[in-house]
Amino acid sequence: VQLVESGGGPVQAGGSLRLSCQHSGLDSDDYFDDYVIGWFRRLPGKEREGVAVIRRSGTTYYAPAVKGRFIISSDDAKNTVDLQMNDLKPEDSGVYYCAADGLEDNFNIVMVPANYNYWGRGIQVSVSS
């Protein structure tokens, strides 16, 4: 399994960014029959945290801090999972990671970084005030 993030960068508060995760290898094993792909972030001085996750079947999960501002979507034809981030705030600044695994349908499981075995390298998002 390989995951590659793109689309980060600097943006002013109130602006938008779209992150994209290009994935491969998730369809090659029955273990990933209904895999999830998520976006996580590490904010300065904090532990990595869940942002938004989408299941192959379409179910989505959002952290309370981003619900209503961020939208996660997938394009099966392109093997991408995008994170549209709107109304960005300085406190959204950090390194954003894409991760994937085969996890059950449970918010308290899919939003926990420690439950994922496959990770991208991360991409920086910087929101200035």
Side-chain angles (χ1 to χ4, degrees):
V1 175
Q2 291 190 326
L3 305 163
V4 179
E5 303 95 340
S6 62
V11 64
Q12 289 193 327
S16 298
L17 274 178
R18 189 177 185 91
L19 304 182
S20 187
C21 174
Q22 180 76 53
H23 62 85
S24 61
L26 287 170
D27 294 316
S28 63
D29 194 312
D30 289 341
Y31 173 64
F32 299 115
D33 184 49
D34 191 19
Y35 55 77
V36 291
I37 299 178
W39 284 96
F40 297 79
R41 65 186 182 186
R42 187 188 301 278
L43 305 181
K46 296 188 177 181
E47 297 293 321
R48 197 176 298 191
E49 64 182 20
V51 176
V53 174
I54 188 165
R55 183 168 294 279
R56 185 182 187 185
S57 58
T59 302
T60 57
Y61 315 79
Y62 292 95
V66 306
K67 198 168 186 179
R69 298 190 297 126
F70 292 9
I71 301 171
I72 190 169
S73 61
S74 64
D75 186 327
D76 290 344
K78 296 181 180 179
N79 279 356
T80 56
V81 170
D82 290 356
L83 183 69
Q84 177 66 40
M85 304 187 294
N86 301 317
D87 189 24
L88 282 161
K89 305 175 181 181
E91 52 265 40
D92 293 316
S93 296
V95 180
Y96 283 69
Y97 301 87
C98 179
D101 215 308
L103 300 175
E104 63 184 270
D105 184 7
N106 185 315
F107 178 91
N108 293 320
I109 291 176
V110 303
M111 294 298 282
V112 175
N115 293 330
Y116 288 76
N117 287 300
Y118 304 98
W119 289 87
R121 298 180 70 175
I123 195 164
Q124 179 71 43
V125 171
S126 299
V127 185
S128 59
S129 57

